[in-house]
Amino acid sequence: MKCGRISSMKIIKNIQELKTHLKTLNNTIGFVPTMGALHEGHISLINQARTENEIVVVSIFVNPTQFLAGEDFEKYPSKDLADSKICELCGVDILFMPNINIMYGEDEITIKAPNTKSYILEGLMRPSHFDGVLQIVLKLFNIVQPTNAYFGKKDAQQLSLIQQMVSNLFLPINIIQCEIIRDEDGLALSSRNTYLSKDEKEKALNIVKSLRVATQLIMKGNLNIENIKDEMKQILQNIEIEYIEIVSRSFTKIEQVEIKNSIILVAVKVGNTRLIDNIWI
Ligand code: PAF
């Protein structure tokens, strides 16, 4: 873990207390929303927020509305004690840990993610997932009112939709996109990696391998999307592929790979664990 500043961090569970506390501070606020089970990926977001803002707020809330029936909401890893230690060591000023009853009421006004961008790829596999993501992110933005909010490129479609929400709803917040963090073998870090057995982890390494092969093909001048996807499918043949796709960085269809404007996205299931990864070209 690469952070080393011990702060006097405040853990706040109540919205009014958080708002009152933030009102007393007249500083730039860097915000890192999370669902907990923090890993080096989150730590890199927190570190970036720490260097770019006077106050750093992290939230931990496993948001029920972004999980579909049958997904892992009930067993999503929860590590509150370890997470708060990590935040403290990383110099977080405020750790916001609300419960469900505080964040949601009955029969709420909801957010509807845009049809074109939200019901392809992740949104096709997980219909209404992004409605729930935008709902909670908007609530958190309204509570924290950050100057800058930090999101990882690993959830590329989520990141793009949050950028669109900020633009469409004229929210005065800068969205900072942060690089994907990988373990020493190349597996993109995710809280769900803890579900993988040793064998499954070995299989999962083919995801990054397929993305690297795709990048090499592109560097050699092959910009044909179907060719690249076929090569990737070969590498992923022992894994259940949900989708392999190459789209523009704003998630529109492209005829061929466009350098500096494409993302190659992969979603697979390894055993019972769903993993996503991508590379920005
Ligand atoms: O990326 C996540 O961890 C979640 O989707 C987020 C942004 C914290 C909203 O619940």
Side-chain angles (χ1 to χ4, degrees), residues 33-35 42 61 63 66 129 133 136-137 151 155 158 162:
T34 80
M35 298 207 298
H42 297 110
F61 179 67
N63 172 38
Q66 69 188 75
H129 163 71
V133 170
I136 195 65
V137 170
F151 294 89
D155 293 304
Q158 164 175 289
I162 290 168

Side-chain angles (χ1 to χ4, degrees), residues 86-252:
I86 289 172
C87 288
E88 198 173 8
L89 283 170
C90 290
V92 169
D93 298 290
I94 298 169
L95 176 56
F96 179 49
M97 299 173 84
N99 68 32
I100 294 186
N101 300 330
I102 285 182
M103 293 306 287
Y104 284 102
E106 299 267 302
D107 193 20
E108 289 209 338
I109 289 173
T110 51
I111 296 284
K112 174 86 181 65
N115 287 328
T116 42
K117 221 196 250 182
S118 316
Y119 289 88
I120 55 167
L121 304 165
E122 278 307 279
L124 187 65
M125 304 315 298
R126 308 177 74 192
S128 85
H129 163 71
F130 288 119
D131 298 350
V133 170
L134 296 183
Q135 179 91 356
I136 195 65
V137 170
L138 182 59
K139 281 172 186 261
L140 290 166
F141 281 175
N142 284 334
I143 297 167
V144 177
Q145 300 189 9
T147 322
N148 302 306
Y150 295 79
F151 294 89
K153 283 177 162 181
K154 175 164 172 291
D155 293 304
Q157 203 173 351
Q158 164 175 289
L159 170 62
S160 174
L161 283 160
I162 290 168
Q163 280 166 330
Q164 185 177 341
M165 176 173 77
V166 163
S167 161
N168 289 169
L169 302 185
F170 307 108
L171 303 178
I173 297 168
N174 303 313
I175 301 300
I176 313 292
Q177 54 187 44
C178 304
E179 292 309 318
I180 297 175
I181 305 295
R182 301 180 179 280
D183 71 9
E184 63 282 6
D185 300 316
L187 185 67
L189 295 189
S190 158
S191 304
R192 291 189 170 101
N193 291 355
T194 54
Y195 301 151
L196 297 172
S197 68
K198 207 161 167 278
D199 282 357
E200 288 171 341
K201 159 98 197 261
E202 276 306 311
K203 278 192 179 169
L205 291 178
N206 285 321
I207 305 169
V208 66
K209 196 169 161 203
S210 74
L211 289 169
R212 284 178 180 155
V213 165
T215 312
Q216 280 159 10
L217 287 170
I218 293 165
M219 278 161 57
K220 283 186 197 147
N222 186 345
L223 304 180
N224 184 300
I225 290 178
E226 288 314 314
N227 282 352
I228 296 167
K229 282 165 61 175
D230 285 344
E231 293 291 334
M232 293 176 72
K233 277 182 201 153
Q234 289 294 319
I235 297 165
L236 294 168
Q237 58 185 319
N238 293 328
I239 304 182
E240 183 186 332
I241 300 171
E242 285 195 353
Y243 62 78
I244 298 176
E245 205 43 86
I246 305 179
V247 292
S248 79
R249 289 189 183 184
S250 41
F251 284 83
T252 53

